[in-house]
Amino acid sequence: MKTLLRILLATVLFGSLSMKAQQDTNPNVILITLDGVRWQDVFTGIDTTLLNSSYTHDKNALTENFVGSSIEENRTLLMPFFWNTIAKEGQLHGNRTKNSTVNLTNKMMFSYPGYNEILTGRADDATIDSNDKIYNKNVTLLELANTTEAYTGKVAGFGSWDVFPFIINDKRSGVPVNAGYMDATGDLNDRELFLNEIQRQAPVIWESVRLDVFTHQYAKEYMKKNHPKLVFISYGETDDFAHDGHFDFYTKSLHNTDALIADLWNYVQTDSFYKDNTYVIITTDHGRGEGIEEGSKWTSHGIDVAGAEQTWIAILGPDVKFTGEASNEQLYTTQIAPTVVKILNMNIDSNRMPAQPIDFKKP
């Protein structure tokens, strides 16, 4: 009898472990956004026009750190992870000098509509026409994933901007969201307790947007503890520094965010749960103006600002074709959500996400 019980127990345990292992083979996705970062910054490096404008306070320091002898050197100095890793091991879309264009489809061209488009796969200009804290009626890919057997309870969102609980609709979706100056909750480890203690002891520059280092560390610690399979992370400093007209801080923040993404990728490569089974997709919620003239001011974006509809996409992962910079193509922000859905092997009605997924995989 005891022998039979042992056999039954071993069978149940083995079955349970096999099921867990099978579930864990489902791909992981980290979807990252850099708020208001232009394609020009990604593909051509520091903007020398803005460097010589009134938006810059310490031209010498920026020149020393981010100006090289070519566009290729400039962009690598500004975003070394993008150009030393993603460009060599993944894909970069949106370099308009190579006729690679990525565009928003919403006509608002500011944050809430942009994030809704990224996360739902379609624009909604009829109901999303402000950045107000209104719970999103639309269902995001995070919420859809959270209803599937493979990903339920394995989805999480992190953002520097305090509107993300409303964009993701955390109350309806059940997706845990940590954004703005929210503390980590639940069974906390020492690091999370420390982050809770210091995030408001650090300089509070904007009441609605915390410093990206805290968003990054909360997300990374949550990933270490809980191993979510679909993670959304939105870094926000760049847009706010640009609105304030601080080109120095914008540039340094973009350089720092590149390093944060590198840190996240390095972690993914050392964690057996994520290694060789994780895709990273990076994009932005909108573009912004090119210079200092009315109608194209770098500090602004929106329907009246030329270039605000222009975005970009970076993709890195185990089955991604190593094509580097794309050329001669037209992509849209609406394609990001169905691309993630395809990676996750989710069955979604095409009427919900009519845009075609991006064809990024190896043959």
Side-chain angles (χ1 to χ4, degrees), residues 92-144:
L92 290 162
H93 304 267
N95 187 349
R96 290 173 183 266
T97 67
K98 293 182 177 293
N99 198 34
S100 171
T101 58
V102 184
N103 288 88
L104 294 170
T105 66
N106 79 77
K107 305 304 180 185
M108 303 294 112
M109 301 176 201
F110 52 83
S111 289
Y112 196 145
Y115 288 119
N116 173 76
E117 184 171 336
I118 291 167
L119 293 172
T120 69
R122 57 194 311 161
D124 183 6
D125 294 343
T127 61
I128 301 178
D129 57 2
S130 77
N131 283 333
D132 293 345
K133 293 179 178 178
I134 298 172
Y135 280 104
N136 197 350
K137 295 180 180 179
N138 302 304
V139 177
T140 69
L141 66 93
L142 305 175
E143 183 171 354
L144 290 170

Side-chain angles (χ1 to χ4, degrees), residues 189-330:
N189 60 29
D190 289 342
R191 190 170 181 82
E192 288 169 319
L193 290 170
F194 181 63
L195 290 169
N196 285 352
E197 180 182 352
I198 66 171
Q199 72 166 325
R200 275 199 174 271
Q201 293 176 348
V204 177
I205 303 174
W206 314 282
E207 278 295 336
S208 61
V209 179
R210 69 181 168 200
L211 296 176
D212 288 335
V213 63
F214 293 103
T215 297
H216 177 78
Q217 293 298 334
Y218 276 121
K220 186 177 175 183
E221 201 61 29
Y222 187 93
M223 290 174 66
K224 287 180 177 180
K225 281 177 54 180
N226 301 293
H227 289 112
K229 297 186 68 62
L230 173 58
V231 185
F232 173 66
I233 304 173
S234 178
Y235 301 107
E237 288 177 7
T238 43
D239 188 59
D240 287 86
F241 281 133
H243 281 308
D244 292 344
H246 296 314
F247 186 64
D248 306 65
F249 290 127
Y250 172 87
T251 303
K252 293 173 184 176
S253 178
L254 180 52
H255 179 69
N256 182 60
T257 305
D258 175 88
L260 295 179
I261 297 171
D263 176 64
L264 198 64
W265 182 248
N266 290 335
Y267 159 66
V268 163
Q269 303 314 304
T270 60
D271 188 308
S272 60
F273 183 86
Y274 291 114
K275 183 176 172 59
D276 298 329
N277 194 33
T278 299
Y279 294 84
V280 175
I281 299 177
I282 313 166
T283 189
T284 187
D285 55 327
H286 54 74
R288 58 189 332 106
E290 296 184 6
I292 60 176
E293 303 296 328
E294 288 297 331
S296 64
K297 276 191 173 182
W298 167 75
T299 56
S300 303
H301 54 84
I303 193 169
D304 298 324
V305 179
E309 80 286 357
Q310 300 171 358
T311 62
W312 50 269
I313 301 169
I315 307 174
L316 188 62
D319 290 329
V320 176
K321 289 181 286 188
F322 301 164
T323 56
E325 288 183 87
S327 60
N328 301 315
E329 63 174 358
Q330 172 67 69

